[in-house]
Amino acid sequence: NEFHYDNAGTDQDEFVEVAFPAEMANLNGYYLEFYNGRTGSNHGKRYKTMELSTCVNGGQVGGKKFCSVAVLKFQNGNRGGDGLALVDPNNIVLQFISYEGTITAIQGAAQGMTSTDIGVQETKNTPVGHSLQLGGTGCALSEFAWQSPRSATKGNINSNQVLDNCGGSTNAPTTLPPTQFPTPAP
C-alpha cells in the first residue's frame, strides 16, 4: 500500500506498509521477500526476508487495517530496479512488485516470476518524510495507481486514497491488491 526506500542525504525511516482486511487479527505467517534487480550475477536474487508478524498496527479505515515494518538497508533500485514480494503462510506469492525496472526472480517464493514495475520511483532528491503510495477510489486493484513521492502516511490511509465498499472481505493480505484491496497490500 505504501513504501519508502530512498531520500536526499542518508536514507531515513525506510518502511513497507501493508493494508489488510480489518477482520484479520494479524499477519502471522505472511512475509516479504526483497529482490535485487542489479544487472549481473545478483539480478533476481533475494537479499532479505521479513516476517510480518512484527508489523506495527496503525489506523483502520473502510474495512482495512494498516501496519508497517521498518526495513533496514532497503535497496535503492538505481542499478536495474529492485523489488519485493508479499508471500502468504502457504508460500504463495500474492504480489511481486518492483521499482525502477522489472526483475525475474531466480530464487525464493517468487522464483521464475517477473515483477510488475510500479512506474514511479524515489530518488536521491526525494525529501525526507516522503513515500510511494497507492491512490484512487474503490477496492479493486485496477482502481488504484502508484503515486510519485508525497508526504508519508505510514500506518494510515494514503493521500488520494478512498476505500469504497471494502468491508467484509475474507481475502488475505497483499502489497498491491491482486484483485481486491481487502487483501493485504504494500
Side-chain angles (χ1 to χ4, degrees):
N1 192 52
E2 178 179 8
F3 66 99
H4 166 64
Y5 66 91
D6 197 8
N7 57 253
T10 302
D11 292 343
Q12 297 178 33
D13 198 25
E14 297 173 311
F15 70 92
V16 173
E17 175 192 87
V18 177
F20 61 101
E23 64 266 17
M24 290 179 64
N26 57 51
L27 294 175
N28 288 346
Y30 289 87
Y31 60 98
L32 295 171
E33 289 187 337
F34 295 80
Y35 287 88
N36 192 333
R38 182 180 210 159
T39 55
S41 63
N42 285 327
H43 184 84
K45 287 187 178 178
R46 180 184 57 210
Y47 71 89
K48 179 187 302 250
T49 300
M50 293 185 68
E51 293 288 332
L52 289 176
S53 59
T54 60
C55 205
V56 176
N57 284 325
Q60 181 175 328
V61 175
K64 301 290 172 277
K65 288 181 185 176
F66 302 91
C67 70
S68 61
V69 290
V71 181
L72 299 176
K73 301 187 182 202
F74 207 151
Q75 292 190 351
N76 287 348
N78 56 4
R79 294 163 291 203
D82 289 311
L84 59 153
L86 176 65
V87 186
D88 78 6
N90 297 311
N91 295 317
I92 295 170
V93 175
L94 300 174
Q95 287 219 294
F96 184 28
I97 60 173
S98 57
Y99 46 95
E100 301 186 37
T102 59
I103 304 164
T104 298
I106 62 171
Q107 60 183 200
Q111 183 172 358
M113 297 175 71
T114 300
S115 65
T116 299
D117 189 335
I118 65 170
V120 294
Q121 63 189 32
E122 294 181 316
T123 69
K124 295 194 179 309
N125 297 317
T126 298
V128 171
H130 281 60
S131 66
L132 301 175
Q133 307 168 17
L134 281 175
T137 299
C139 263
L141 177 58
S142 61
E143 297 169 310
F144 295 90
W146 285 97
Q147 303 173 90
S148 57
R150 57 198 60 235
S151 292
T153 61
K154 181 170 70 171
N156 293 293
I157 195 164
N158 296 337
S159 301
N160 300 321
Q161 184 179 55
V162 177
L163 301 176
D164 189 27
N165 296 316
C166 298
S169 168
T170 57
N171 292 344
T174 326
T175 41
L176 281 182
T179 54
Q180 292 255 321
F181 193 80
T183 297

